[in-house]
Amino acid sequence: MNLSLVTLVLMTVMGPVINLPRLKAILNAVNEEKGTAPSAEVMDKIRDRTLWNSVIIMTMLLVGILFLMTVKTTAAGSVITLGVAVVIGSIAAKKNSVTPF
């Protein structure tokens, strides 16, 4: 079983399920704005921790997939690589717990 492909398919499900509703909420809030500066409500939607955590972890999974495609590890190596990618993504997301903007 190709773990890179399974992870990529998982990511294509995670994006629309986790990120898309939050991105649509940001777009709707921005479209409702009258002024030039974003309101506190819009900024709260932009700073949504779940959105940012998802983006960071998915980015690290992508790096892990690229690594697996390049190195061609064994099944155990693939599991370890993707596990490390999730851990590093989680640590990066936690370190970035201060507002991104």
Side-chain angles (χ1 to χ4, degrees):
M1 175 171 66
N2 189 350
L3 207 52
S4 298
L5 181 60
V6 171
T7 305
L8 190 59
V9 170
L10 177 69
M11 288 173 53
T12 60
V13 171
M14 284 175 53
V17 169
I18 297 172
N19 298 348
L20 189 60
R22 288 168 175 80
L23 292 173
K24 283 183 177 180
I26 291 170
L27 179 64
N28 291 336
V30 167
N31 286 336
E32 292 172 3
E33 288 288 307
K34 301 283 190 245
T36 56
S39 67
E41 177 187 342
V42 171
M43 292 307 294
D44 286 343
K45 290 182 186 310
I46 292 172
R47 292 182 181 124
D48 182 8
R49 292 305 327 150
T50 304
L51 175 63
W52 285 101
N53 291 348
S54 172
V55 168
I56 292 169
I57 291 171
M58 287 174 65
T59 301
M60 290 311 301
L61 282 172
L62 180 61
V63 171
I65 289 170
L66 292 173
F67 175 80
L68 292 177
M69 290 172 60
T70 305
V71 177
K72 310 272 191 230
T73 64
T74 63
S78 297
V79 170
I80 291 169
T81 298
L82 293 176
V84 168
V86 169
V87 168
I88 291 173
S90 298
I91 291 170
K94 190 167 202 104
K95 285 259 190 207
N96 195 26
S97 64
V98 180
T99 56
F101 296 102

